[in-house]
């Protein structure tokens, strides 16, 4: 969906599930994931429909992720840090349709 | 003001209004603490301006000359003596009945209360909700989101892109995108034919602020030259499985379907009132701008004595007017802290500039009216509450049952109970209920907003400390 | 002016239950309500349908609560059948959890006394020490010494209940009029009452039920009824949805069918202030995470403060006007637990025109207020 205008001069590696992603040191987590082509940051609690960032300024809460075990973080507001481990929140893997109430 | 307060003034937000108010106050000797949820000052309009200026000059050309104004404001803030805390979210303001005025913040994963003598809310604007079928699909984002990605990370959209809605930001962004070497496939302009009133307001605005007007008209001309524009777009729908793959719409009585990878939507901006509402500040419906605004006396005084609002959070005024407003509100707050009455009438300092901004704003409001179909989604299946997936039909259903306001609607449908707390659905729900019952928006009212206005966990709340001196933290 | 057989003033949990129950009888029933921005205590309920611990010094109230708990099953089934709305009533029994030894001892002493007062009637509860408690509530915190279990306890969704009652009421032919705050009630010489509201609404009715929450105090005065109720503020913390793990409701925490946890309780004497207060919210989370540490990582989705209806002894206030026997007023703080008997028994009292003498125990004369 998005690509970088320039090559990353100071790359850091972050992880989304088991996937290593090259991010720029000053990216937000959301920007880094979008630049890597991640299209699903988690699932909605009612229908398990996929969600991804909508507003990028901390108002839509569709970018909520889990980072290094801490949950409910808005990916658009959190800067990346090398080695960060990011997972969709709540804990659905992309493509997994299990609803919260079925877990 | 008691000696226990940890700071004189807390400013929430570091956009042009917040930076200016904080700088003025600090330079007058007031202790100021600026709380910014972003990692560097600039707000949205000047997002990442320091970083872009220092490290990404190619992007500076793309973003345009107006963007560079942000650097001066940031420099002023840094040299003013105001304390600045980045990466800090505000999740509550203490209730009016409490003995001390305090702000609840989250910083470095910890929650604390900071006491203040006065609070200035510079929380800026957010994009107007634009519900239509399929808008919750990954691949549908706001124009503002795309522009933020450009400013903060130098990202441009890839693949086939459509842009829908109206408003100066839409045309500004597309012109920036063209400069960056990427053209959308199509722009879907949702405006009706311009009314006579709108055309006259353009003429009026041209006479008072030709620079801004030519700049804006310049973006439009450039964009329309390079990109296909469809006019009077209706019945926009986004389709796809798991993510966006196509859109359909009507334009001038013809039906269209396009394959797209990304749809960017924008229908103007509205004040971000959530913190002010949670603080119990009175709000009313601004008929011209079609949004909730805090009820203000003087320059920025809300219905709560120690809480002021400044900039777009007070009413949509744009970056330049926000700077002027920041100066006016700072003077007012200084007078308030000194126990004096402010006797200036509004922004008496720059009456011509104020009038200029007001005329420009009226022109923009009339030239870019919000799309009727986003305000009142015609299809019952349209999701209104993204968080809880409540549809327009369900809202209409409870309105028929007798819900006369959004809070009963929330109780009956869960609409507004998700993490966004109604930021993306509140205006739509109130409009739907108002329309159903033939009521005015002030009669219907808005959601009752409670803390936490930003996410905190049960553990963070349980571990709460009360901070008596922010400056030693 | 609209004529009604019975007018119910107040669209909260009590008023809606009465309106629903009364409308089932076939007469013309009207439910007169304020608008969206009023005190609306009904929006602040925890959702317990609770029996244990109730009725100290008034065994009649213990019996009344238990009666309602068992009436809840057919009541919720009927609502579901009629409206399609499930109010999510479950009665797995409930645990009253104690956070330390003193609280545990105090609770056991209370229950023992309640059992003594109940005599032959019995008062059902079991003492559950920590080791046994962990089998039923695996997330119970390490500091908790134990709990008491009552098989009659359960929980429901109070917001769905309110909606279902109003839908059922309207399906029965009842008429709901919101944005109609009652300003005056005038008895009519020939019988019945005239009700005047702001917004210009007027109603005539043969019978009248005042169930307007805190508004009942002022309305009661129009008909020489003294209704001794006052506000007690309660706050609630609601978490995001989580995996369904808590199979039982407890006094501190319950998990809804949607997966959210509700954390409570609290009580503050702050008049008609319905703003949340930070240290109260913090104290709620501290107590609840002592009881259930696994709640810690969950997001606080929202908080709420509501002005509960409290009477001087905590028991309901039910009365019929002496001067105007067609007028009734009912107030209580357990609007969820008692919803079932309100929709059935109490509605029947109104239709029959009299509160049975065995329920005179709920008359406010017990506080020595003038009738």
């Amino acid at each position: 969906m998005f690509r970088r205008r320039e090559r990353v001069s100071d790359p850091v590696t972050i992880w989304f599930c088991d996937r290593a992603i090259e991010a720029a040191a000053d990216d937000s987590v959301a920007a880094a994931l979008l630049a890597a082509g991640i299209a699903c940051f988690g699932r909605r609690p009612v229908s398990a429909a996929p969600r991804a960032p909508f507003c990028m300024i901390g108002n839509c809460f569709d970018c909520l992720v889990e980072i290094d075990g801490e949950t409910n973080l808005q990916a658009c507001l959190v800067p990346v840090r090398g080695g960060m481990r990011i997972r969709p929140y709540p804990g659905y893997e992309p493509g997994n349709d299990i609803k919260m109430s079925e877990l | 003001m008691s000696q226990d307060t940890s700071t004189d003034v807390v400013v929430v937000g570091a956009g042009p209004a917040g930076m200016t108010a904080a700088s003025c106050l600090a330079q007058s000797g007031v202790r100021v603490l600026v709380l910014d949820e972003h990692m560097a000052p600039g707000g949205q309009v000047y997002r990442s301006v320091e970083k872009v200026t220092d490290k990404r000059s190619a992007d500076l050309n793309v973003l345009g000359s107006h963007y560079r104004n942000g650097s001066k404001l940031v420099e002023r803030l840094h040299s003013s003596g105001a304390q600045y805390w980045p990466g800090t979210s505000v999740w509550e303001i203490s209730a009016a009945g409490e003995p001390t005025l305090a702000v609840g913040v989250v910083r470095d994963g910890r929650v604390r209360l900071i006491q203040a003598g006065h609070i200035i809310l510079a929380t800026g604007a957010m994009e107007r909700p634009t519900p239509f079928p399929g808008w919750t699909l990954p691949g549908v984002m706001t124009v503002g989101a795309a522009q933020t990605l450009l400013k903060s990370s130098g990202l441009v959209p890839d693949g086939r892109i459509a842009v829908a809605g109206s408003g100066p930001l839409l045309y500004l962004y597309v012109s920036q995108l063209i400069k960056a070497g990427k053209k959308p496939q199509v722009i879907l302009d949702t405006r009706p034919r311009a009314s006579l009133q709108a055309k006259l307001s353009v003429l009026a605005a041209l006479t008072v602020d030709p620079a801004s007007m030519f700049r804006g008209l310049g973006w439009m001309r450039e964009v329309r030259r390079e990109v296909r524009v469809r006019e009077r777009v209706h019945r926009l729908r986004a389709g796809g499985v798991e993510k966006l793959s196509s859109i359909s719409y009507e334009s001038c009585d013809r039906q269209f379907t396009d394959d797209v990878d990304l749809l960017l939507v924008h229908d103007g901006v509205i004040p971000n009132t959530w913190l002010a509402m949670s603080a119990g500040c009175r709000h009313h419906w601004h008929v011209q701008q079609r949004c909730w605004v805090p009820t203000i006396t003087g320059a920025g005084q809300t219905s709560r004595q120690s809480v002021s609002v400044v900039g777009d959070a007070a009413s949509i005024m744009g970056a330049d007017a926000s700077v002027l407003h920041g100066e006016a509100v700072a003077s007012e707050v200084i007078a308030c802290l000194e126990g004096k009455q402010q006797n200036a009438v509004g922004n008496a300092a720059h009456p011509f500039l104020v009038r200029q901004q007001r005329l420009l704003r009226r022109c923009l409001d009339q030239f870019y009216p919000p799309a009727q179909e986003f305000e009142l989604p015609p299809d019952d299946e349209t999701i209104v509450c993204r968080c809880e997936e409540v549809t327009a039909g369900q809202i209409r259903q409870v309105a028929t049952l007798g819900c006369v306001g959004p809070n009963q609607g929330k109780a009956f449908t869960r609409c507004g109970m998700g993490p966004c707390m109604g930021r993306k659905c509140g205006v739509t729900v109130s409009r739907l209920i108002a329309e159903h019952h033939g009521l005015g928006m002030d009669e219907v009212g808005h959601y009752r907003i409670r803390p936490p206005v930003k996410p905190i966990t049960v553990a963070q709340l349980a571990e709460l400390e009360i901070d008596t001196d922010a400056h030693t933290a | 002016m609209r004529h009604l057989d019975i007018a119910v003033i107040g669209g909260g949990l009590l008023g809606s239950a009465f309106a629903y129950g009364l409308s089932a009888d076939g007469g013309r029933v009207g439910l007169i309500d304020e608008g969206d921005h009023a005190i609306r205590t009904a929006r602040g309920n925890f959702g317990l349908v609770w029996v244990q611990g109730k009725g100290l010094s008034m065994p009649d109230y213990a019996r009344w609560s238990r009666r309602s708990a068992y009436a809840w099953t057919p009541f919720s089934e009927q609502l579901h059948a009629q409206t399609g709305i499930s109010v999510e009533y479950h009665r797995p029994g409930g645990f009253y959890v104690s956070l330390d030894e003193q609280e545990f001892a105090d609770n056991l002493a209370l229950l023992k006394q309640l059992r003594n007062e109940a005599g032959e009637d019995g008062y059902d509860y079991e003492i559950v020490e920590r080791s046994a408690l962990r089998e039923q509530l695996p997330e119970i915190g390490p500091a908790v010494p134990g709990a008491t279990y009552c098989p009659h306890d359960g929980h429901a969704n109070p917001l769905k209940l309110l909606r279902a009652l109003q839908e059922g009421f309207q399906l029965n032919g009842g008429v709901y009029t919101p944005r109609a705050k009652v300003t005056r009630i005038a008895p009519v010489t020939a019988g019945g009452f005239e009700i005047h509201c702001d917004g210009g609404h007027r109603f005539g009715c043969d019978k009248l039920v005042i169930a307007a929450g805190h508004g009942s105090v002022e309305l009661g005065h129009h008909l020489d009824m003294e209704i001794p109720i006052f506000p007690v503020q309660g706050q609630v913390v609601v978490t995001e949805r989580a995996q369904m793990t808590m199979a039982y409701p407890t006094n501190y925490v319950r998990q809804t069918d949607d997966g959210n946890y509700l954390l409570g309780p609290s009580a503050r004497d702050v008049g008609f202030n319905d703003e949340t207060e930070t240290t109260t919210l913090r104290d709620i989370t501290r107590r609840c995470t002592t009881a259930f540490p696994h709640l810690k990582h969950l997001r606080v989705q929202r908080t709420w403060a509501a002005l509960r209806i409290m009477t001087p002894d905590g028991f309901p206030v039910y009365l019929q006007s002496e001067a105007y026997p067609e007028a009734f007023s009912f107030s209580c703080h357990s609007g969820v637990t008692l919803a079932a008997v309100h929709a059935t028994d109490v509605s029947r009292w109104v239709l029959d025109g009299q509160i049975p003498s065995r329920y005179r125990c709920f008359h406010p004369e017990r506080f020595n207020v003038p009738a």
Side-chain angles (χ1 to χ4, degrees):
Chain A
M1 268 195 274
F2 287 88
R3 63 175 171 78
R4 296 187 190 273
R5 294 192 66 222
E6 289 166 10
R7 289 206 52 202
V8 176
S9 57
D10 45 355
V12 295
T13 302
I14 62 175
W15 298 83
F16 183 71
C17 299
D18 295 326
R19 192 177 139 185
I21 287 171
E22 187 190 80
D26 54 15
D27 277 343
S28 64
V29 170
L33 296 182
L34 287 170
I38 308 289
C40 173
F41 280 43
R43 290 187 174 269
R44 301 189 187 281
V46 176
S47 71
R51 52 172 178 72
F54 177 73
C55 79
M56 283 300 298
I57 61 169
N59 284 324
C60 72
F61 294 78
D62 276 346
C63 64
L64 290 174
V65 289
E66 176 190 313
I67 301 176
D68 294 332
E70 196 184 337
T71 57
N72 297 304
L73 296 169
Q74 291 173 283
C76 68
L77 295 175
V78 177
V80 298
R81 207 180 47 250
M84 220 178 214
R85 304 203 85 93
I86 301 146
R87 296 177 51 80
Y89 187 75
Y92 304 130
E93 299 294 329
N96 187 333
D97 285 332
I98 295 177
K99 288 191 189 183
M100 185 54 92
S101 56
E102 289 168 26
L103 284 171
Chain B
M1 196 180 42
S2 103
Q3 276 156 354
D4 287 339
T5 50
S6 63
T7 192
D8 297 335
V9 178
V10 162
V11 176
V12 182
M19 287 193 284
T20 304
S23 301
C24 289
L25 285 163
Q27 283 164 346
S28 302
V30 175
R31 284 186 309 158
V32 181
L33 172 61
V34 178
L35 303 173
D36 187 4
E37 70 180 352
H38 298 296
M39 299 310 294
Q44 303 313 328
V45 62
Y46 300 126
R47 180 84 177 250
S48 303
V49 67
E50 278 178 298
K51 183 175 69 178
V52 173
T53 308
D54 288 342
K55 297 186 185 161
R56 296 190 350 236
S57 44
D59 285 345
L60 208 54
N61 291 328
V62 165
L63 292 169
S65 55
H66 186 261
Y67 178 72
R68 273 168 256 192
N69 295 346
S71 297
K72 288 194 284 283
L73 297 174
V74 172
E75 271 163 40
R76 187 181 175 197
L77 178 70
H78 285 323
S79 60
S80 69
Q83 195 173 20
Y84 172 72
W85 284 8
T88 305
S89 290
V90 175
W91 59 275
E92 81 153 10
I93 291 174
S94 56
E98 297 308 317
T100 51
L101 181 66
V103 176
V105 304
V106 196
R107 193 185 185 212
D108 298 327
R110 269 173 63 239
V111 154
R112 56 219 289 204
L113 290 184
I114 296 175
Q115 295 176 31
H118 202 102
I119 297 173
I120 298 179
L121 299 176
T123 47
M126 59 184 188
E127 286 171 279
R128 188 187 302 277
T130 53
F132 56 89
W135 74 306
T136 55
L137 278 168
V140 180
M141 297 174 75
T142 64
V143 168
Q147 197 188 50
T148 295
L149 286 166
L150 177 59
K151 286 172 178 166
S152 62
S153 293
L155 298 181
V156 292
D158 210 11
R160 299 158 301 180
I161 307 148
V163 183
S166 82
L169 181 64
L170 188 155
Y171 285 96
L172 168 61
Y173 174 69
V174 178
S175 78
Q176 291 168 335
L177 210 53
I178 292 169
K179 281 208 196 75
K182 177 71 189 177
K183 268 190 240 189
Q185 314 297 108
V186 67
I187 291 174
L188 309 178
D189 193 316
T190 51
R191 284 175 302 159
R193 263 183 234 281
S195 63
L196 178 62
Q197 199 180 22
K199 290 177 186 163
L200 289 174
S201 73
V202 171
L203 291 174
L206 272 166
T207 63
V208 290
D209 190 1
S212 297
M213 287 302 291
F214 279 122
R215 192 171 61 222
L217 290 169
W219 302 331
M220 279 196 79
R221 203 177 47 237
E222 198 185 312
V223 166
R224 281 167 175 268
R225 196 176 51 220
E226 304 278 337
V227 184
R228 183 199 294 132
V229 178
R230 301 250 187 248
E231 308 282 4
R232 296 191 286 289
V233 168
H234 287 290
R235 312 307 288 227
L236 176 65
R237 304 173 77 90
V241 175
E242 293 287 290
K243 65 180 190 187
L244 177 73
S245 58
S246 68
I247 55 174
S248 70
Y249 54 93
E250 283 171 26
S251 165
C252 302
D253 302 319
R254 286 171 61 198
Q255 181 76 32
F256 295 91
T257 304
D258 294 331
D259 290 336
V260 292
D261 303 305
L262 183 66
L263 171 62
L264 301 175
V265 291
H266 179 79
D267 198 25
V269 292
I270 59 178
N272 186 339
T273 55
W274 258 247
L275 204 45
M277 284 175 173
S278 78
C281 299
R282 210 171 317 125
H283 286 68
H284 65 272
W285 184 252
H286 190 306
V287 176
Q288 184 182 303
Q289 294 194 340
R290 308 186 75 68
C291 57
W292 297 107
V293 293
T295 304
I296 286 172
T297 52
Q301 184 62 53
T302 67
S303 61
R304 264 189 80 170
Q305 200 189 11
S306 322
V307 178
S308 300
V309 217
V310 69
D312 276 353
S315 77
I316 300 304
M317 56 178 75
D320 298 335
S322 291
V323 171
L324 299 174
H325 197 218
E327 288 165 4
V329 170
S331 306
E332 187 173 69
V333 171
I334 289 169
C336 187
L337 291 172
E338 290 172 357
K340 296 193 193 112
Q341 283 304 328
Q342 174 73 322
N343 53 18
V345 176
N347 297 336
H350 305 273
F352 173 74
L353 290 171
V354 168
R355 184 170 167 270
Q356 176 193 60
Q357 293 297 333
R358 212 172 280 158
L359 268 170
L360 180 62
R361 186 54 42 191
R362 196 171 307 153
C363 159
L364 291 173
D365 293 338
Q366 282 170 357
F367 203 63
Y368 296 110
Q372 174 82 342
E373 287 181 0
F374 292 156
E375 273 210 314
L376 290 166
D379 291 311
D380 278 347
E381 75 189 72
T382 306
I383 288 176
V384 168
C385 171
R386 297 168 62 95
C387 300
E388 292 284 327
E389 299 173 87
V390 180
T391 64
Q394 288 169 296
I395 301 298
R396 289 187 170 109
Q397 206 176 15
V398 294
T400 308
L401 186 59
C403 282
V404 288
N407 295 291
Q408 191 86 325
K410 182 202 270 189
F412 280 10
T413 64
R414 295 186 62 94
C415 184
M417 284 188 179
C420 98
M421 304 185 94
R423 287 170 175 85
K424 291 296 162 203
C425 68
V427 170
T428 314
V429 173
S430 293
R431 287 290 290 119
L432 284 168
I433 292 175
E435 209 242 352
H436 181 91
H437 289 292
L439 296 169
M441 285 294 274
D442 284 318
E443 292 175 285
V444 169
H446 54 79
Y447 287 134
R448 177 80 184 267
I449 305 298
R450 304 275 196 172
V453 173
K454 278 279 163 169
I456 57 173
T457 62
V458 172
Q460 286 171 328
L461 186 49
E463 289 155 20
L464 182 66
E465 306 162 12
I466 296 181
D467 203 42
T468 51
D469 187 352
H471 294 268
T472 62
Chain C
M1 182 167 80
R2 178 169 217 139
H3 189 82
L4 302 164
D5 296 328
I6 311 176
V8 178
I9 302 177
L13 271 183
L14 266 69
S16 301
F18 299 135
Y20 174 65
L22 293 166
S23 63
D25 198 56
R28 204 168 4 181
V29 182
L31 179 58
I32 302 166
D33 200 9
E34 289 189 277
D36 199 48
H37 307 280
I39 292 176
R40 314 252 51 142
T41 301
R43 292 187 198 149
N45 279 294
F46 201 70
L48 294 179
V49 182
W50 208 251
V51 174
Q52 78 168 283
K54 291 190 176 176
L56 188 67
S57 311
M58 195 194 279
D60 284 325
Y61 183 59
R63 277 190 288 272
W64 188 229
S65 301
R66 193 170 61 204
R67 181 182 171 80
S68 196
Y70 282 90
W72 251 91
T73 305
F75 166 60
S76 59
E77 285 168 0
Q78 187 192 330
L79 275 173
H80 191 198
Q82 190 180 10
T83 67
I85 296 170
S86 162
V87 299
E88 300 167 6
Y89 175 56
H90 309 292
R91 190 173 60 232
F95 287 91
Y96 190 99
V97 172
S98 298
L99 301 184
D100 57 45
E101 293 290 354
Q102 183 61 54
E103 207 187 303
F104 198 25
D106 291 345
N107 185 36
L108 294 182
L110 167 71
L111 289 170
K112 193 165 166 206
Q113 190 174 348
L114 283 162
R115 189 170 266 170
N116 290 340
E117 287 178 4
E120 280 175 6
D121 228 17
Y123 202 95
D124 299 312
Y125 67 92
E126 278 169 48
I127 301 174
V128 186
E129 302 282 349
R130 201 190 143 58
S131 46
L133 188 58
R134 282 179 59 197
E135 285 166 40
Q136 311 300 335
L137 292 169
E139 294 92 9
I140 198 77
V144 170
T148 52
Y149 171 81
C150 173
H152 310 309
D153 293 336
H155 55 160
N157 184 321
L159 300 177
K160 285 191 156 182
L161 172 64
L162 188 64
R163 179 172 176 176
L165 288 170
Q166 293 200 359
E167 286 211 27
F169 165 69
Q170 293 185 46
L171 286 168
N172 287 346
V175 176
Y176 175 67
T177 309
R179 291 170 51 84
K181 184 181 165 80
V182 175
T183 51
R184 191 161 71 91
I185 303 172
V188 175
T189 336
F193 308 90
E194 257 185 39
I195 302 168
H196 299 253
C197 311
D198 65 14
H201 297 283
R202 278 169 59 214
F203 301 87
C205 62
D206 299 333
K207 286 186 182 171
L208 174 62
V209 175
I210 298 174
H214 292 291
S216 300
V217 178
E218 206 276 323
L219 292 175
H221 290 155
H222 295 242
L223 300 176
D224 298 331
M225 286 193 279
E226 279 301 319
I227 298 161
I229 60 178
F230 53 91
V232 169
Q233 195 213 65
Q235 293 182 178
V236 171
V237 172
V238 183
T239 72
E240 58 173 315
R241 297 161 191 256
Q243 294 184 33
M244 290 301 298
T245 56
M246 194 174 278
Y248 299 91
T250 75
N251 54 320
Y252 282 110
V253 177
R254 63 174 274 260
Q255 189 172 21
T256 71
D257 280 24
D258 294 309
N260 308 92
Y261 284 93
L262 266 58
L263 277 55
S266 71
R268 291 169 78 210
D269 178 12
V270 288
F272 287 96
N273 175 355
D274 68 349
E275 301 277 1
T276 54
E277 195 270 322
T278 319
T279 45
T280 307
L281 295 173
R282 180 197 60 186
D283 294 344
I284 289 172
T285 54
R286 283 184 176 174
R287 288 191 290 266
C288 293
T289 50
T290 301
F292 298 101
H294 77 293
L295 299 173
K296 282 182 180 170
H297 75 278
L298 294 173
R299 177 178 66 237
V300 174
Q301 188 98 299
R302 64 187 176 280
T303 61
W304 207 257
L307 298 171
R308 313 188 70 195
I309 313 297
M310 199 49 70
T311 63
D313 58 3
F315 304 130
V317 164
Y318 296 159
L319 71 156
Q320 193 170 0
S321 168
E322 302 281 325
Y324 313 101
E326 260 78 54
F328 296 79
S329 180
F330 305 105
S331 309
C332 72
H333 80 272
S334 287
V336 180
T337 301
L338 299 177
V341 287
H342 286 167
T344 52
D345 293 327
V346 180
S347 296
R348 176 81 351 230
W349 303 346
V350 173
L351 290 166
D352 292 344
Q354 179 146 29
I355 298 177
S357 54
R358 64 179 291 213
Y359 294 104
R360 190 84 188 179
C361 52
F362 298 134
H363 195 288
E365 68 195 352
R366 69 188 190 270
F367 306 119
N368 299 318
V369 303

